[in-house]
């Protein structure tokens, strides 16, 4: 059993639209409530000793949503950054955005750059926000970078070119909102992540819901291809390794 708090948690924050629809509100109101839930979650993760939190805020496929929702999400990002960054700085959070910037407006791109610069060097919690991100895109852009340099493709060289770079892979991936799929999130990095699905809609995901996910993680046996017996009683040569 894994007894420690996960070092790296990644979250598919699903259910904002349903949360809003149930309240007869526009979908963007659900995303606004989602920002509140994210703020709570960042604080709760830092308080529990989680080092890295990676969240899926806008997928490469989300451009296919109604124009009003897409522009609402872009506006929300810019507003959220100007409101939240000072507190993130105080709380020691280092913010990074993973994803393709080319398709984003100049206002959004400069907001990302400013937020990253303001929080660079903070070490208490690394918050990666996947925005205009897709796992397949991430693998392809990494492969293209290697190809441009004529470098050999290995697991290590490819991983180093991916958006997450040298950061360790997620130990735990949480998806809220009841669906049980990855939806093109961190496909490469999820190889050995523990997956946790819950029905809670993202705006209602609170400290208690986080603790349930962490408790479930602590019950899992992470074997990384080995047997339970090997984990319990490593051979002498493995102990030395
Ligand atoms: C999925 O819920 C959620 C998103 C596509 C957006 C997630 C964004 C946030 C939580 C807010 C943080 C965002 C920014 C801009 C900082 P859904 O809309 O698919 O929900 P549904 O499945 O109920 O329709």
């Amino acid at each position: 059993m894994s007894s420690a708090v996960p070092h790296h948690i990644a979250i598919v924050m699903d259910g904002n639209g349903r949360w809003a629809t149930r309240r007869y509100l526009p979908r963007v109101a659900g995303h606004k409530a989602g920002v509140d839930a994210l703020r709570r979650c960042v604080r709760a993760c830092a308080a529990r000793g989680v080092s890295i939190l990676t969240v899926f805020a806008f997928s490469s496929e989300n451009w296919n949503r109604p124009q009003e929702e897409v522009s609402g999400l872009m506006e929300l990002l810019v507003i959220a950054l100007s409101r939240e960054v000072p507190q993130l700085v105080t709380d020691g959070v280092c913010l990074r955005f993973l994803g393709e910037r080319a398709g984003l407006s100049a206002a959004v791109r400069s907001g990302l750059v400013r937020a990253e610069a303001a929080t660079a060097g903070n070490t208490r919690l690394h918050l990666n926000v996947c925005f205009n991100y897709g796992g397949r895109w991430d693998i392809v852009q990494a492969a293209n970078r290697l190809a441009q340099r004529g470098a050999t493709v290995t697991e290590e060289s490819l991983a180093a070119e991916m958006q997450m770079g040298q950061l360790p892979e997620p130990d735990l991936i949480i998806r809220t909102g009841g669906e049980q799929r990855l939806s093109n999130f961190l496909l490469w990095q999820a190889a050995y992540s523990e997956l946790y699905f819950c029905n809670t809609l993202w705006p209602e995901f609170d400290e208690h819901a986080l603790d349930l996910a962490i408790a479930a993680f602590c019950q899992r046996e992470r074997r990384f291809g080995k047997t339970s017996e090997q984990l319990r009683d490593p051979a002498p040569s493995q102990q030395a390794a």
Side-chain angles (χ1 to χ4, degrees), residues 128-196:
N128 301 316
V129 176
C130 295
F131 200 88
N132 197 19
Y133 174 88
R136 290 178 179 170
W137 167 82
D138 197 3
I139 294 167
V140 168
Q141 65 86 31
N144 277 331
R145 286 199 218 194
L146 290 179
Q148 275 160 15
R149 296 206 306 268
T152 307
V153 178
T154 64
E155 291 192 14
E156 291 73 25
S157 67
L158 195 69
E161 292 297 334
M162 297 191 63
Q163 295 280 294
M164 202 100 84
Q166 306 294 343
L167 288 179
E169 294 170 357
D171 300 294
L172 171 64
I173 298 182
I174 299 170
R175 181 171 186 146
T176 63
E179 311 288 356
Q180 302 198 355
R181 53 177 171 260
L182 285 177
S183 298
N184 202 13
F185 185 47
L186 302 178
L187 296 181
W188 175 274
Q189 298 84 349
Y192 276 99
S193 305
E194 296 297 326
L195 306 182
Y196 177 86

Side-chain angles (χ1 to χ4, degrees), residues 13-18 27 31 34-35 38 56-57 62 65 69 73 76-77 131 202:
M13 308 179 289
D14 197 13
N16 295 346
R18 277 165 286 163
R27 291 179 61 85
H31 298 315
V35 173
L38 179 54
F56 206 5
N62 284 153
R65 292 198 171 198
E69 184 172 349
L73 274 163
L76 187 59
L77 175 64
F131 200 88
W202 175 250

Side-chain angles (χ1 to χ4, degrees), residues 15-30 201:
N16 295 346
R18 277 165 286 163
W19 183 91
T21 303
R22 285 177 194 176
R23 286 162 180 75
Y24 305 101
L25 295 169
R27 291 179 61 85
V28 171
L201 301 177

Side-chain angles (χ1 to χ4, degrees), residues 76-87 111 114-115:
L76 187 59
L77 175 64
V78 173
I79 293 168
L81 288 178
S82 64
R83 285 198 188 141
E84 309 289 338
V85 163
Q87 189 62 44
R114 277 201 304 273

Side-chain angles (χ1 to χ4, degrees), residues 198-210:
C198 65
N199 291 327
T200 310
L201 301 177
W202 175 250
E204 291 166 353
F205 191 85
D206 57 11
E207 289 81 354
H208 177 63
L210 177 67

